[in-house]
Amino acid sequence: MSRVEVTYAEAATNRHPHAADASSSSLIALGSGKLVCLWDAEDETDRGIYETLPGHEGLVTCVRFVQDDRFLSADDKGFVRLWRRKRNQWDTTCVTKAHEKSVSTVAVHGEVVITGASDSTVKAWKYISSNEADELKEVQTISLKGRYPLSLSVASLPGTQATILAVGSTDRNIQVWTRSEDTFVSSAVLSGHEDWVRSLAFRAPENDADPLILASGSQDATIRLWNIERYSKRTLDSGVLSRQAELSDELLDAFEASLADLTDAEEGGRQISLKRHIVTVKAGEQGPQQFSITFDALLVGHEAGVTSLAWRPPCLSTPTPTLLSTSTDSSLILWSPSTILTGTGHDGATSSIWINRQRFGDVGGQRLGGFVGGLWTRGGLEASAWGWGGGWRRWRRSDDPDETAQDPQHEVWNETGAISGHNGPVRGLSWSPRGDFLLSAGLDQTTRIHGEVPKQDSSGNVIRVWHELGRPQVHGYDLVGVEFLDNLRFVSIADEKVARVFEAPREFVEIVRNLGVADFDTDGTTRPRAATVPPLGLSNKAVNEGTVENYTYDIKRTARRPFEGELAAMTLWPEIEKVFGHGYESITLAVSNSKKFVATACKAASPEHAVVRVYDTEKWQPVGKPLIGHTLTVTQVAFSPDDNLILSVSRDRSWRLYRRSDKGFTPVAADKSHARIIWDCAWAHESDVFATASRDKTVKIWHPATASDLARWSTIHTIKTSEAATAVSFAPSDEHGRRRLAVGLESGEILVYSASQADQSGWRLDLSIPSGTAHVDQIHHIKWRPAKNGIEQLASCSEDGTLKVLAIQITGTD
């Protein structure tokens, strides 16, 4: 019997304002690359993403819940997928080719589904659900005549069965469409914004006296509120009044036109819209009904374009309507109306004005790209947003009566933990020597440290939950490899000719110690406090006591893990060394088991550059001459566990072996029996066999002719795989003397084989981990965790942008 559990999954959210949505039970579904990830925002253990759903072949651009147990997702290839939870498992119930190009926005209202895409069309669909299947039936196609839809919102007109649709696109207007029976008809065009309308959101009235509110957010950094309410017929009963209404509309039209002509004025353009738009719909037996759409409020507070809007779910504790907005200025604002007195004495009238109640995020827009989108969870008690880098930040309303007693109208919010991940392919990973934490490197130009934080669950039991604990390197080049030198030092390579060495600052030592992640034999007093990146620089510079003026994260005071904003700004490690030597960009990196040697290789198209360079880790000087023999790029290097041998594999389809000597490492053996590029290699922990993984869909196990004859190696077993093998890793032998070999495939699957140490030719498949649990794209590295609590854990990173730690239990292999 075999069992696999996803202990940790790290993934970033795609850079699309509609790429995430939350159900009423606070289940967040988000698009990450080609995957849909699930995150329970009400999980008190704070475990983050717990499941990834494969299926899309393109980048997921939109996710929208239809009901708590079903949602739809769309991608940049024009496909829409419907998902439904059955027996606690999410399955695809319908796949529809909705558009010819990327789906950019989706809106859902009951059985009405509206999709917009970069083929310049908006389509209306009817959602048909049965016990076993779902279906999307196309009802209507609306052409935007060359404009691209950026935002959609749909609702029911108050007191009717009619549907109203708002469309924001790559012009400055909002198109309003209404549907009384079968098809939508163009009903009004709302002008006023000065740039693209990127976000729209309807708020349904809570009682008959309230209007339907449409909020629109634009690239011009403003938010406009529009009231939609029944239009009184009294003004239509009299011809005189009708004529007066016509004159009034003509005067307003002329006034707006004059405003539009003031292009040279400081506040010119289309700042004010006074026109009352009249919309007529059929209301069944009641006959035609008219609604008016009027501009109600202009919300000014953001310093850059508004990216998303979301109305707070109605709840008894907060009856006041509240609007959440996010912006590329790195701020999240909560807006709500405030009642003001407009008259004097007993006859004084009251009115309301929308004000900025809360502002979260960073002052001055310090984060590149700001916030991409935002939403509500926990019934409006939490406000969350994801940023340009794919990480989330969330704020929770305080329930502490002492904090809210002074002003019941003023809500107190505190930031809490959220999820994060590499925003791009993850190319490198490394366990610390004791297995306390995991280091990863990605093409998003960051390295990240992940560890298990002990917590108490609702039953009082201590559990360990994975979190990102640090972001030691934020670089100017894509990072492709990383390896620990010891528990507090690592070396990384990027798409440059230099390898860089980093050492942990005192802040990191205190974080992992106070959180109970690990402890070290150092007090940290001699270490610098933190690190910073100078302007236009690539090297992290040490920051000592007395120079940390804006450093607000204090682990002793907060006793919590760092949040996304702190990870991005305050957890850098100082760079202590640079290693030069290669003529082209680095491609692979290896560290010896004694941590005394580092081997590097670079991109190469000729034998001159297809070499492996070895350095000592004390003075960072070359060890012997470069290791020659390959003719094309060396793709992977591995030291034998006893450090006597170096194994290298290459694009030239060969592997080569070098033995340690007084003058460095010298060639001892080579072979070219693979038919395609060799992607990876790995040694068994006893140094007697090694494995090579190739694009020719084979993994070969190699063994020397005799223990003393290292010049002749032969294949003792060949594992054939269904896809190209891209990563391999040996686990230590278990108590039964069986070795375990993990194989990662180009398709994202992971295979686990085992063989008796006494019979290396009898490898058999024990476990196949499918893409839903593993990955959906090429696996770059897989590594078994050093012995930790007796649990076998396997870390893997992939081209799909995810990093995972899998707990694997295999029984009955004797």
Side-chain angles (χ1 to χ4, degrees):
M1 180 180 177
S2 302
R3 186 172 65 90
V4 180
E5 180 183 351
V6 180
T7 305
Y8 178 53
E10 192 209 43
T13 307
N14 293 335
R15 292 173 180 170
H16 291 269
H18 310 291
D21 195 23
S23 70
S24 61
S25 59
S26 297
L27 173 64
I28 297 177
L30 58 96
S32 178
K34 300 176 183 178
L35 292 163
V36 177
C37 303
L38 302 180
W39 169 32
D40 184 1
E42 292 191 4
D43 183 7
E44 294 299 335
T45 62
D46 195 19
R47 61 175 170 166
I49 293 171
Y50 67 90
E51 187 174 357
T52 55
L53 306 178
H56 283 283
E57 296 183 0
L59 192 75
V60 178
T61 58
C62 303
V63 178
R64 281 294 175 267
F65 272 91
V66 180
Q67 297 175 16
D68 274 3
D69 62 345
R70 62 199 70 182
F71 65 87
L72 59 85
S73 57
D75 61 31
D76 63 357
K77 293 186 180 296
F79 285 91
V80 174
R81 302 179 75 92
L82 286 168
W83 303 82
R84 185 191 290 194
R85 182 168 52 201
K86 300 177 181 178
R87 295 178 291 275
N88 209 29
Q89 179 178 340
W90 290 90
D91 297 313
T92 299
T93 57
C94 174
V95 181
T96 303
K97 175 67 172 176
H99 293 271
E100 293 301 318
K101 295 185 178 180
S102 172
V103 179
S104 56
T105 176
V106 173
V108 177
H109 180 68
E111 296 182 349
V112 179
V113 175
I114 312 293
T115 60
S118 54
D119 58 8
S120 197
T121 64
V122 171
K123 292 187 178 182
W125 308 78
K126 183 178 181 180
Y127 171 66
I128 303 173
S129 176
S130 63
N131 291 333
E132 296 298 328
D134 295 314
E135 181 185 354
L136 282 180
K137 182 179 179 182
E138 185 176 343
V139 177
Q140 184 182 359
T141 299
I142 300 171
S143 173
L144 297 186
K145 300 178 181 179
R147 296 184 298 273
Y148 300 141
L150 300 177
S151 52
L152 298 169
S153 190
V154 61
S156 296
L157 284 168
T160 71
Q161 299 296 319
T163 306
I164 182 170
L165 166 67
V167 180
S169 63
T170 52
D171 67 3
R172 299 185 283 184
N173 299 322
I174 304 167
Q175 294 188 40
V176 177
W177 297 70
T178 56
R179 184 176 74 176
S180 304
E181 297 174 345
D182 296 329
T183 60
F184 284 96
V185 295
S186 180
S187 301
V189 176
L190 308 182
S191 60
H193 283 295
E194 297 184 339
D195 210 333
W196 294 356
V197 180
R198 297 183 58 181
S199 48
L200 294 167
F202 277 113
R203 183 182 189 273
E206 295 186 18
N207 53 65
D208 294 339
D210 294 336
L212 173 68
I213 304 176
L214 172 64
S216 61
S218 169
Q219 189 70 21
D220 65 10
T222 66
I223 301 167
R224 288 173 176 261
L225 300 183
W226 311 82
N227 282 349
I228 304 169
E229 51 197 338
R230 290 183 182 274
Y231 186 61
S232 173
K233 291 185 178 181
R234 289 182 300 170
T235 57
L236 302 178
D237 292 338
S238 168
V240 175
L241 291 178
S242 178
R243 177 60 182 163
Q244 290 177 348
E246 291 176 9
L247 289 173
S248 175
D249 283 346
E250 289 174 4
L251 289 173
L252 289 176
D253 289 342
F255 178 60
E256 287 189 356
S258 67
L259 285 177
D261 292 336
L262 299 177
T263 54
D264 297 330
E266 182 179 356
E267 296 296 333
R270 300 158 63 163
Q271 291 288 333
I272 304 174
S273 177
L274 305 175
K275 184 177 179 179
R276 181 188 297 270
H277 300 271
I278 307 300
V279 175
T280 304
V281 297
K282 296 179 180 179
E285 297 179 356
Q286 300 176 4
Q289 292 193 24
Q290 291 191 318
F291 291 83
S292 68
I293 305 176
T294 54
F295 170 66
D296 180 59
L298 178 68
L299 311 186
V300 179
H302 286 295
E303 299 172 1
V306 178
T307 53
S308 72
L309 298 170
W311 288 101
R312 191 177 200 165
C315 54
L316 296 177
S317 60
T318 54
T320 305
T322 304
L323 178 66
L324 178 156
S325 65
T326 61
S327 168
T328 53
D329 67 0
S330 298
S331 68
L332 182 153
I333 296 180
L334 303 185
W335 309 84
S336 63
S338 176
T339 303
I340 59 173
L341 190 67
T342 59
T344 58
H346 296 288
D347 298 329
T350 60
S351 181
S352 62
I353 183 172
W354 286 77
I355 63 172
N356 176 342
R357 292 285 189 183
Q358 301 284 343
R359 187 186 186 102
F360 308 129
D362 301 306
V363 177
Q366 300 167 353
R367 305 288 172 265
L368 176 64
F371 287 125
V372 174
L375 45 81
W376 294 94
T377 52
R378 290 179 178 255
L381 299 181
E382 278 187 359
S384 306
W386 68 97
W388 187 255
W392 285 65
R393 298 180 69 179
R394 61 173 173 166
W395 292 264
R396 183 178 299 171
R397 195 188 75 171
S398 174
D399 293 328
D400 187 350
D402 294 335
E403 293 183 337
T404 57
Q406 296 180 353
D407 183 4
Q409 297 294 324
H410 178 68
E411 297 179 335
V412 178
W413 296 75
N414 299 306
E415 186 168 2
T416 186
I419 60 174
S420 63
H422 283 282
N423 190 23
V426 187
R427 287 291 181 86
L429 58 82
S430 176
W431 288 102
S432 63
R434 300 186 310 197
D436 292 321
F437 30 80
L438 181 66
L439 182 63
S440 62
L443 299 191
D444 63 347
Q445 305 183 347
T446 67
T447 59
R448 303 171 186 238
I449 292 183
H450 321 265
E452 289 179 297
V453 179
K455 297 181 178 181
Q456 281 192 344
D457 61 12
S458 56
S459 303
N461 301 318
V462 177
I463 59 174
R464 302 182 71 86
V465 182
W466 282 86
H467 295 296
E468 184 180 341
L469 302 178
R471 208 164 292 174
Q473 185 182 7
V474 179
H475 204 43
Y477 292 96
D478 295 350
L479 288 150
V480 296
V482 66
E483 290 288 344
F484 270 108
L485 294 171
D486 56 42
N487 286 312
L488 296 173
R489 285 191 307 155
F490 73 85
V491 56
S492 70
I493 56 172
D495 196 22
E496 59 175 345
K497 302 174 185 178
V498 185
R500 300 174 185 269
V501 185
F502 298 84
E503 187 167 17
R506 184 164 73 251
E507 195 74 26
F508 177 78
V509 175
E510 293 177 355
I511 287 174
V512 296
R513 178 179 290 158
N514 293 336
L515 290 178
V517 176
D519 201 358
F520 305 106
D521 300 328
T522 174
D523 58 4
T525 55
T526 60
R527 296 176 179 272
R529 171 76 186 274
T532 184
V533 180
L536 303 179
L538 289 174
S539 302
N540 296 355
K541 301 298 183 183
V543 177
N544 293 305
E545 207 71 49
T547 61
V548 193
E549 298 177 359
N550 298 319
Y551 208 91
T552 58
Y553 179 71
D554 186 351
I555 184 64
K556 293 180 180 178
R557 177 176 57 83
T558 56
R560 58 161 175 79
R561 64 182 175 98
F563 299 149
E564 174 67 20
E566 296 154 343
L567 287 168
M570 303 175 184
T571 61
L572 291 174
W573 288 20
E575 182 181 312
I576 60 172
E577 194 68 53
K578 293 183 182 68
V579 184
F580 299 90
H582 288 291
Y584 289 97
E585 291 81 2
S586 303
I587 195 72
T588 189
L589 168 73
V591 173
S592 66
N593 293 275
S594 64
K595 311 301 181 185
K596 294 181 179 180
F597 302 108
V598 169
T600 61
C602 71
K603 297 177 182 178
S606 65
E608 178 186 359
H609 295 284
V611 298
V612 177
R613 297 180 182 271
V614 183
Y615 304 87
D616 72 85
T617 58
E618 183 179 353
K619 298 182 179 179
W620 295 103
Q621 295 299 311
V623 177
K625 294 182 179 180
L627 310 185
I628 61 174
H630 289 292
T631 58
L632 294 173
T633 302
V634 175
T635 55
Q636 192 60 254
V637 181
F639 285 87
S640 62
D642 57 13
D643 288 346
N644 286 326
L645 298 170
I646 290 180
L647 172 66
S648 62
V649 294
S650 166
R651 286 184 177 272
D652 64 13
R653 308 177 185 180
S654 71
W655 60 259
R656 293 185 174 272
L657 208 58
Y658 306 86
R659 180 162 46 189
R660 187 176 176 183
S661 65
D662 294 338
K663 297 182 179 180
F665 289 83
T666 57
V668 65
D671 184 90
K672 196 174 183 179
S673 60
H674 277 291
R676 303 291 298 277
I677 177 178
I678 305 176
W679 280 120
D680 199 11
C681 58
W683 287 91
H685 286 252
E686 293 76 18
S687 297
D688 56 338
V689 298
F690 65 81
T692 55
S694 170
R695 184 180 283 171
D696 64 9
K697 301 181 181 181
T698 65
V699 175
K700 294 180 182 289
I701 312 296
W702 301 84
H703 191 277
T706 63
S708 58
D709 185 5
L710 297 179
R712 292 185 300 156
W713 292 70
S714 59
T715 305
I716 57 174
H717 188 76
T718 299
I719 297 173
K720 295 183 178 180
T721 58
S722 59
E723 300 288 341
T726 57
V728 287
S729 178
F730 281 95
S733 300
D734 62 16
E735 64 272 15
H736 303 294
R738 293 191 69 84
R739 286 173 170 163
R740 196 152 287 148
L741 175 68
V743 179
L745 303 184
E746 192 173 39
S747 61
E749 296 177 79
I750 297 177
L751 309 175
V752 180
Y753 294 84
S754 70
S756 170
Q757 189 173 343
D759 180 16
Q760 291 299 312
S761 62
W763 290 87
R764 71 184 186 192
L765 180 63
D766 289 338
L767 179 63
S768 177
I769 305 175
S771 58
T773 305
H775 302 275
V776 296
D777 212 334
Q778 177 178 341
I779 295 177
H780 290 296
H781 287 286
I782 50 176
K783 292 186 179 180
W784 295 92
R785 185 179 189 180
K788 189 77 175 175
N789 300 330
I791 300 174
E792 286 192 291
Q793 290 183 311
L794 183 68
S796 60
C797 63
S798 168
E799 188 73 12
D800 66 9
T802 61
L803 169 74
K804 291 189 176 183
V805 178
L806 306 176
I808 297 176
Q809 181 180 2
I810 301 176
T811 57
T813 58
D814 296 340

